[in-house]
Amino acid sequence: MNENYYKLTDIGINLTDSAFDSDREQVISDAFDTGVKRLLITGTTAAETEQAVNLCKEHCNRLFCTAGVHPHYSKEFSPDVRQTLDALIKNPEVLAVGETGLDFNRNFSTPEQQIHAFEQQLELACEADLPLFLHERDAHRKQTEMLRHFRDQTAGGVAHCFTGNRQELYNYLDLDLYIGITGWICDERRGSELLGLIKDIPAERLLFETDAPYLIPRDIKPKPKSRRNLPCYLPHILETAARARSTDPAELALQTEENAERLFRFNQT
């Protein structure tokens, strides 16, 4: 167990990823042992969302999930997929719609396909009164335009794995979104700008996530043998953010837990 023990929620972990097939239960146990008391599993396809729901049912009140189709898989979005998501959302373990949004960087699905799938999931979130779990890359203008259109109908949301600049940060804050921070801030090569922006995020809008198995914090010591990120590294991300904000990490942990409970309504499940 970590010397410093915080009660935390990892609001974004890809626990259905094949990287965890050999030791998923141990990864969950290790997370709990380090004070990560809840995990929110990211749904990236209808099939993975179903897997996530089943996994959550094995760990009642400790594992929860989102339901959605990642922009990379938007070309697979169909009326049947929407119907499946609509059914999955009715499970009490599902606390948000996503991972949804736009990714014009790699365009595994065309922008048109992505816009259609995003709009469908925005509608689903409004109908279900669930917050949004948002992905965005190189599509900020279009994404904020669409979010603005649905703003008065949604139950809020989080800009998951935010790595943008100051203007993009303020655009999301202006839309009343929460900001999800990962181990990106622990990367001296790519994360220094974001680390400098940490103090600009209002305390009541900040959330922490690992996005495991991706984005392992580069400055963990001793350096892990594996490059696989794990939810047990979440306290390290918290402490890095607390230093950048000149804040006591225990106080920041309490605040971000309040934020997670407010957005995802854990206590109402």
Side-chain angles (χ1 to χ4, degrees):
M1 184 180 294
N2 278 6
E3 181 181 347
N4 296 316
Y5 187 85
Y6 315 102
K7 292 183 178 179
L8 297 169
T9 297
D10 187 344
I11 66 111
I13 172 172
N14 301 283
L15 199 55
T16 58
D17 191 281
S18 60
F20 297 117
D21 282 353
S22 64
D23 62 348
R24 189 169 285 108
E25 290 299 321
Q26 187 63 53
V27 167
I28 294 170
S29 177
D30 289 347
F32 294 160
D33 286 346
T34 54
V36 183
K37 62 178 183 177
R38 289 183 300 220
L39 305 176
L40 186 65
I41 306 170
T42 307
T44 56
T45 66
E48 288 207 1
T49 297
E50 188 168 6
Q51 293 173 31
V53 169
N54 291 334
L55 188 57
C56 291
K57 290 182 184 299
E58 298 172 11
H59 297 269
C60 293
N61 298 319
R62 304 197 78 174
L63 266 59
F64 302 88
C65 67
T66 70
V69 174
H70 189 288
H72 286 345
Y73 307 113
S74 295
K75 60 189 173 188
E76 300 171 8
F77 205 96
S78 66
D80 285 346
V81 167
R82 173 161 177 160
Q83 187 174 9
T84 299
L85 289 178
D86 191 45
L88 288 167
I89 282 169
K90 292 178 172 60
N91 285 279
E93 295 82 8
V94 176
L95 302 185
V97 172
E99 179 173 359
T100 185
L102 303 174
D103 190 319
F104 295 168
N105 176 265
R106 304 178 78 176
N107 284 327
F108 289 131
S109 295
T110 67
E112 293 75 20
Q113 290 169 330
Q114 293 184 48
I115 289 167
H116 171 72
F118 187 27
E119 185 173 48
Q120 292 285 306
Q121 290 174 90
L122 285 165
E123 291 176 359
L124 277 173
C126 295
E127 292 167 5
D129 190 33
L130 288 176
L132 292 155
F133 192 81
L134 296 163
H135 172 101
E136 180 264 314
R137 192 173 182 190
D138 293 351
H140 187 78
R141 179 178 295 182
K142 183 61 178 177
Q143 179 133 321
T144 52
E145 173 191 313
M146 293 180 70
L147 288 169
R148 202 170 291 115
H149 179 75
F150 282 87
R151 177 179 182 171
D152 294 340
Q153 306 165 58
T154 63
V158 57
H160 146 70
C161 190
F162 179 78
T163 58
N165 58 35
R166 182 182 299 274
Q167 186 59 58
E168 291 168 343
L169 171 63
Y170 277 85
N171 288 345
Y172 280 141
L173 292 173
D174 287 345
L175 285 166
D176 301 322
L177 293 173
Y178 291 74
I179 307 298
I181 295 298
T182 66
W184 187 272
I185 62 171
C186 306
D187 187 336
E188 78 288 352
R189 306 164 305 166
R190 303 182 295 177
S192 57
E193 180 182 8
L194 181 59
L195 186 62
L197 287 176
I198 284 286
K199 59 184 178 296
D200 288 10
I201 303 173
E204 66 274 11
R205 299 276 200 89
L206 182 60
L207 295 168
F208 291 116
E209 55 181 315
T210 58
D211 200 28
Y214 313 111
L215 296 178
I216 186 171
R218 275 176 50 86
D219 59 354
I220 286 182
K221 291 186 173 61
K223 188 173 182 179
K225 293 179 181 179
S226 170
R227 297 299 301 163
R228 183 182 64 162
N229 198 7
L230 299 169
C232 63
Y233 299 149
L234 193 65
H236 178 83
I237 298 170
L238 164 78
E239 291 176 344
T240 301
R243 283 194 299 272
R245 293 173 66 92
S246 301
T247 302
D248 177 66
E251 291 181 8
L252 189 59
L254 287 172
Q255 178 66 65
T256 55
E257 278 307 281
E258 289 179 11
N259 300 345
E261 290 173 4
R262 187 186 316 117
L263 178 62
F264 297 114
R265 303 175 230 171
F266 287 106
N267 293 333
Q268 296 179 28
T269 59

